[in-house]
Amino acid sequence: MTITLPRFWGGLTDIFAMNIVTDSRCTGYHRLGHPERPARIQASVDALKGQTTLACEWITPLEVSDEQVLRAHDRGLLESVRRGSEDFDGDTPTHPQIGQHALRSVGGALRALTLARKGQWAFSLLRPPGHHATRHHAMGFCYFDSIAIAALEARASGVKRVAVYDFDVHHGNGTEDIFLGQTGTAFFSVHQFPCYPGTGEAHRGDNCFNFPVPPMTPRRQYRATLERGLRELQKFKPDLVGVSAGFDAYAKDPLAQGTLEAEDYYWLGQQFRFLGIPVFSVLEGGYSEELPQLIIAYLKGLEGK
């Protein structure tokens, strides 16, 4: 597989706009009082359109085939989400057309993957998130694991070594469940423990690496753990990296006890920029009012702004 890299990879100057994959239809469902709400996307889109530092290209998701979904999930889950006839658990309600919304989010990750393989930056700004959806179960606000589906699509289409780095404050148990033992893949998760979903205390198998941090870990120590995860990712020598970009380790996020600030998300963006390989990012969590500013900080780090 030949990938044309943009000139900025390795620390030079960016010549591309930031591709933002989104679709306004993803704001068309909600449940009163649920933290995974439409404003997460709408406010972030508005903030990105209102700023002038980043040049953004607005891109729509790809269509998704059953074959792509079934690399990560079983047929029973695919059909259950399509039907959307009952809540999946207390955190993961059904909604009208939730199957279409969930597939559109997968399509955003697939579009971001396609752009990354062309040497461009891409961020999928859609809901629902995905990294808690296991092979067999929807859970934790997540119905299909978009980042895992995209990573397995990359593997199926010729990428030899694909890594997912997950910096959401909650362990990406779904991605781990799907990746465990999968040849040519590796999963790296830095997350609060103990915390929902109660997994991620230690490494699993030969390709799933967990870096738990206790609640209220001092910010400097939290960043050191993020660095350790990145060093381990580099040892894997991936040809492509998917990022589960959750912004709920932020100090003011209401769903956990993280300590990160906007500067830390800018720093994370920089680290992925300096990897020198294709990287695409998919929104996971992030439930504070400051989510739009955190996303912008991360994207500025990616672009070196």
Side-chain angles (χ1 to χ4, degrees), residues 28 32 41 51 58 106 154 162 176 201-202 237 240-241 263 303:
L32 187 65
I41 305 302
Q51 56 81 47
W58 297 90
V106 172
V162 180
E176 179 180 270
E201 186 175 9
K237 298 182 179 178
L240 178 144
V241 174
E263 308 93 274
E303 278 210 344

PDB file of all heavy atoms in Angstrom, residues 28 32 41 51 58 106 154 162 176 201-202 237 240-241 263 303:
ATOM      1  N   GLY A  28     -30.576  14.657  15.726  1.00  0.00           N
ATOM      2  CA  GLY A  28     -32.021  14.473  15.646  1.00  0.00           C
ATOM      3  C   GLY A  28     -32.605  13.481  16.625  1.00  0.00           C
ATOM      4  O   GLY A  28     -33.740  13.041  16.429  1.00  0.00           O
ATOM      5  N   LEU A  32     -34.389  13.155  27.387  1.00  0.00           N
ATOM      6  CA  LEU A  32     -34.324  14.236  28.357  1.00  0.00           C
ATOM      7  C   LEU A  32     -33.413  13.858  29.518  1.00  0.00           C
ATOM      8  O   LEU A  32     -33.561  12.798  30.132  1.00  0.00           O
ATOM      9  CB  LEU A  32     -35.725  14.556  28.881  1.00  0.00           C
ATOM     10  CG  LEU A  32     -35.836  15.784  29.799  1.00  0.00           C
ATOM     11  CD1 LEU A  32     -35.483  17.050  29.022  1.00  0.00           C
ATOM     12  CD2 LEU A  32     -37.262  15.889  30.365  1.00  0.00           C
ATOM     13  N   ILE A  41     -22.625  18.044  19.640  1.00  0.00           N
ATOM     14  CA  ILE A  41     -22.216  18.195  18.240  1.00  0.00           C
ATOM     15  C   ILE A  41     -22.530  19.589  17.734  1.00  0.00           C
ATOM     16  O   ILE A  41     -21.677  20.248  17.123  1.00  0.00           O
ATOM     17  CB  ILE A  41     -22.910  17.151  17.355  1.00  0.00           C
ATOM     18  CG1 ILE A  41     -22.649  15.740  17.870  1.00  0.00           C
ATOM     19  CG2 ILE A  41     -22.456  17.310  15.904  1.00  0.00           C
ATOM     20  CD1 ILE A  41     -21.204  15.347  17.962  1.00  0.00           C
ATOM     21  N   GLN A  51     -14.567  30.010  14.363  1.00  0.00           N
ATOM     22  CA  GLN A  51     -13.158  30.342  14.579  1.00  0.00           C
ATOM     23  C   GLN A  51     -12.457  30.562  13.231  1.00  0.00           C
ATOM     24  O   GLN A  51     -12.968  30.179  12.181  1.00  0.00           O
ATOM     25  CB  GLN A  51     -12.466  29.258  15.400  1.00  0.00           C
ATOM     26  CG  GLN A  51     -12.541  27.854  14.839  1.00  0.00           C
ATOM     27  CD  GLN A  51     -11.531  27.575  13.750  1.00  0.00           C
ATOM     28  OE1 GLN A  51     -10.347  27.899  13.889  1.00  0.00           O
ATOM     29  NE2 GLN A  51     -11.979  26.955  12.658  1.00  0.00           N
ATOM     30  N   TRP A  58     -15.760  20.589   5.264  1.00  0.00           N
ATOM     31  CA  TRP A  58     -16.883  19.867   5.866  1.00  0.00           C
ATOM     32  C   TRP A  58     -17.279  18.723   4.946  1.00  0.00           C
ATOM     33  O   TRP A  58     -17.647  18.930   3.793  1.00  0.00           O
ATOM     34  CB  TRP A  58     -18.042  20.826   6.120  1.00  0.00           C
ATOM     35  CG  TRP A  58     -17.623  21.872   7.121  1.00  0.00           C
ATOM     36  CD1 TRP A  58     -17.041  23.092   6.863  1.00  0.00           C
ATOM     37  CD2 TRP A  58     -17.678  21.752   8.544  1.00  0.00           C
ATOM     38  NE1 TRP A  58     -16.754  23.731   8.031  1.00  0.00           N
ATOM     39  CE2 TRP A  58     -17.128  22.945   9.085  1.00  0.00           C
ATOM     40  CE3 TRP A  58     -18.150  20.774   9.407  1.00  0.00           C
ATOM     41  CZ2 TRP A  58     -17.030  23.168  10.457  1.00  0.00           C
ATOM     42  CZ3 TRP A  58     -18.067  20.987  10.782  1.00  0.00           C
ATOM     43  CH2 TRP A  58     -17.509  22.173  11.284  1.00  0.00           C
ATOM     44  N   VAL A 106     -20.614   5.307  12.156  1.00  0.00           N
ATOM     45  CA  VAL A 106     -19.623   4.399  11.569  1.00  0.00           C
ATOM     46  C   VAL A 106     -19.117   4.966  10.241  1.00  0.00           C
ATOM     47  O   VAL A 106     -17.913   4.959   9.963  1.00  0.00           O
ATOM     48  CB  VAL A 106     -20.231   3.002  11.356  1.00  0.00           C
ATOM     49  CG1 VAL A 106     -19.267   2.111  10.565  1.00  0.00           C
ATOM     50  CG2 VAL A 106     -20.574   2.353  12.689  1.00  0.00           C
ATOM     51  N   ALA A 154      -9.507  -1.055   7.448  1.00  0.00           N
ATOM     52  CA  ALA A 154      -8.138  -0.787   6.995  1.00  0.00           C
ATOM     53  C   ALA A 154      -7.360  -2.086   6.844  1.00  0.00           C
ATOM     54  O   ALA A 154      -6.658  -2.305   5.850  1.00  0.00           O
ATOM     55  CB  ALA A 154      -7.436   0.154   7.969  1.00  0.00           C
ATOM     56  N   VAL A 162      -2.390  -1.870  12.300  1.00  0.00           N
ATOM     57  CA  VAL A 162      -3.286  -0.775  12.666  1.00  0.00           C
ATOM     58  C   VAL A 162      -3.385  -0.690  14.183  1.00  0.00           C
ATOM     59  O   VAL A 162      -3.629  -1.701  14.849  1.00  0.00           O
ATOM     60  CB  VAL A 162      -4.700  -0.982  12.077  1.00  0.00           C
ATOM     61  CG1 VAL A 162      -5.623   0.174  12.468  1.00  0.00           C
ATOM     62  CG2 VAL A 162      -4.635  -1.135  10.564  1.00  0.00           C
ATOM     63  N   GLU A 176     -11.460  -3.120  22.869  1.00  0.00           N
ATOM     64  CA  GLU A 176     -10.630  -4.205  23.381  1.00  0.00           C
ATOM     65  C   GLU A 176     -11.257  -5.563  23.086  1.00  0.00           C
ATOM     66  O   GLU A 176     -10.576  -6.497  22.629  1.00  0.00           O
ATOM     67  CB  GLU A 176     -10.419  -4.046  24.883  1.00  0.00           C
ATOM     68  CG  GLU A 176      -9.573  -5.145  25.507  1.00  0.00           C
ATOM     69  CD  GLU A 176      -9.382  -4.936  26.997  1.00  0.00           C
ATOM     70  OE1 GLU A 176      -8.416  -4.273  27.376  1.00  0.00           O
ATOM     71  OE2 GLU A 176     -10.222  -5.454  27.771  1.00  0.00           O
ATOM     72  N   GLU A 201      -8.130  -2.682  33.912  1.00  0.00           N
ATOM     73  CA  GLU A 201      -7.183  -2.579  35.023  1.00  0.00           C
ATOM     74  C   GLU A 201      -5.783  -3.021  34.615  1.00  0.00           C
ATOM     75  O   GLU A 201      -4.789  -2.561  35.178  1.00  0.00           O
ATOM     76  CB  GLU A 201      -7.670  -3.414  36.201  1.00  0.00           C
ATOM     77  CG  GLU A 201      -6.831  -3.259  37.462  1.00  0.00           C
ATOM     78  CD  GLU A 201      -7.394  -3.999  38.644  1.00  0.00           C
ATOM     79  OE1 GLU A 201      -8.352  -4.791  38.480  1.00  0.00           O
ATOM     80  OE2 GLU A 201      -6.880  -3.781  39.763  1.00  0.00           O
ATOM     81  N   ALA A 202      -5.684  -3.910  33.630  1.00  0.00           N
ATOM     82  CA  ALA A 202      -4.384  -4.467  33.231  1.00  0.00           C
ATOM     83  C   ALA A 202      -4.409  -4.791  31.739  1.00  0.00           C
ATOM     84  O   ALA A 202      -5.484  -4.814  31.108  1.00  0.00           O
ATOM     85  CB  ALA A 202      -4.079  -5.723  34.046  1.00  0.00           C
ATOM     86  N   LYS A 237       4.926  -0.114  16.011  1.00  0.00           N
ATOM     87  CA  LYS A 237       5.267   0.316  14.652  1.00  0.00           C
ATOM     88  C   LYS A 237       4.069   0.217  13.705  1.00  0.00           C
ATOM     89  O   LYS A 237       4.114  -0.447  12.666  1.00  0.00           O
ATOM     90  CB  LYS A 237       6.448  -0.486  14.111  1.00  0.00           C
ATOM     91  CG  LYS A 237       7.725  -0.294  14.918  1.00  0.00           C
ATOM     92  CD  LYS A 237       8.901  -1.059  14.346  1.00  0.00           C
ATOM     93  CE  LYS A 237      10.155  -0.820  15.172  1.00  0.00           C
ATOM     94  NZ  LYS A 237      11.321  -1.582  14.669  1.00  0.00           N
ATOM     95  N   LEU A 240      -0.795   2.801  10.537  1.00  0.00           N
ATOM     96  CA  LEU A 240      -1.923   3.734  10.613  1.00  0.00           C
ATOM     97  C   LEU A 240      -2.444   3.730  12.043  1.00  0.00           C
ATOM     98  O   LEU A 240      -2.436   2.679  12.693  1.00  0.00           O
ATOM     99  CB  LEU A 240      -3.009   3.307   9.622  1.00  0.00           C
ATOM    100  CG  LEU A 240      -4.303   4.127   9.568  1.00  0.00           C
ATOM    101  CD1 LEU A 240      -4.804   4.207   8.130  1.00  0.00           C
ATOM    102  CD2 LEU A 240      -5.388   3.498  10.437  1.00  0.00           C
ATOM    103  N   VAL A 241      -2.914   4.890  12.517  1.00  0.00           N
ATOM    104  CA  VAL A 241      -3.451   5.002  13.869  1.00  0.00           C
ATOM    105  C   VAL A 241      -4.845   5.623  13.828  1.00  0.00           C
ATOM    106  O   VAL A 241      -5.049   6.673  13.209  1.00  0.00           O
ATOM    107  CB  VAL A 241      -2.535   5.862  14.772  1.00  0.00           C
ATOM    108  CG1 VAL A 241      -3.181   6.090  16.137  1.00  0.00           C
ATOM    109  CG2 VAL A 241      -1.176   5.204  14.940  1.00  0.00           C
ATOM    110  N   GLU A 263      -4.876  22.636  27.274  1.00  0.00           N
ATOM    111  CA  GLU A 263      -3.488  22.538  26.782  1.00  0.00           C
ATOM    112  C   GLU A 263      -3.047  21.092  26.613  1.00  0.00           C
ATOM    113  O   GLU A 263      -2.206  20.786  25.763  1.00  0.00           O
ATOM    114  CB  GLU A 263      -2.515  23.221  27.748  1.00  0.00           C
ATOM    115  CG  GLU A 263      -2.868  24.645  28.122  1.00  0.00           C
ATOM    116  CD  GLU A 263      -3.691  24.715  29.388  1.00  0.00           C
ATOM    117  OE1 GLU A 263      -4.929  24.591  29.278  1.00  0.00           O
ATOM    118  OE2 GLU A 263      -3.114  24.895  30.481  1.00  0.00           O
ATOM    119  N   GLU A 303      -2.710  20.082  13.652  1.00  0.00           N
ATOM    120  CA  GLU A 303      -2.265  20.878  12.527  1.00  0.00           C
ATOM    121  C   GLU A 303      -1.016  21.706  12.825  1.00  0.00           C
ATOM    122  O   GLU A 303      -0.432  22.301  11.928  1.00  0.00           O
ATOM    123  CB  GLU A 303      -3.389  21.808  12.043  1.00  0.00           C
ATOM    124  CG  GLU A 303      -4.386  21.129  11.123  1.00  0.00           C
ATOM    125  CD  GLU A 303      -4.994  22.090  10.130  1.00  0.00           C
ATOM    126  OE1 GLU A 303      -4.877  23.328  10.338  1.00  0.00           O
ATOM    127  OE2 GLU A 303      -5.581  21.617   9.157  1.00  0.00           O
TER     128      GLU A 303
END
